[in-house]
Amino acid sequence: MFGNFGWDETPLGSDGLLAFNRLGEKLWSASGYEVADCYALNVENAANVYFYYYDSFRFIHLSNYAEVASYNVKGKDTIDQFVLVGNTILAVVDTHSVMQYEVRNRTLKPKGSVDFINGKGKRIKGTIYMRGENVYLITKDMVYWKGVQGFL
């Protein structure tokens, strides 16, 4: 992507993040953001997309390919994946922990860590995936799923 030795042609991924239609035609690119690496992406639906990127570490909300909001992210953690719950974001940080962020005044501020508890009151550990409005926690014996509506 950086072309340390130059390019004969501009590479497909030079904008860092792109959207295509079903025919493979480019609909949008993140050319104005200088995305070196997209750390986290959540496509809520065809119109709403959120992404968090290096090297500015901004959290961006797009609606119909136009920027709706840009958020500053406080704290030292790196967001790997996330879901939105009203004015709160649940995010996997540093690949293994879940952090709750409060959204206020175009800033995401860490509010505290999140633990997952089963029906017996026991803490659940496993691999976490966040997609759309869903959180999945996978252990060696079980797959847990929860939609974010009514989560917090």
Side-chain angles (χ1 to χ4, degrees), residues 104-120:
R104 186 184 297 164
N105 300 325
R106 304 284 181 181
T107 301
L108 303 182
K109 182 180 176 186
K111 194 171 177 181
S113 62
V114 175
D115 289 326
F116 294 93
I117 309 296
N118 68 14
K120 297 178 182 177

Side-chain angles (χ1 to χ4, degrees), residues 71-75 87-89 99-104 106-112:
Y71 300 92
N72 183 32
V73 180
K74 297 289 185 186
N87 277 349
T88 299
I89 291 176
M99 180 70 69
Q100 180 180 350
Y101 287 85
E102 178 181 37
V103 179
R104 186 184 297 164
R106 304 284 181 181
T107 301
L108 303 182
K109 182 180 176 186
K111 194 171 177 181

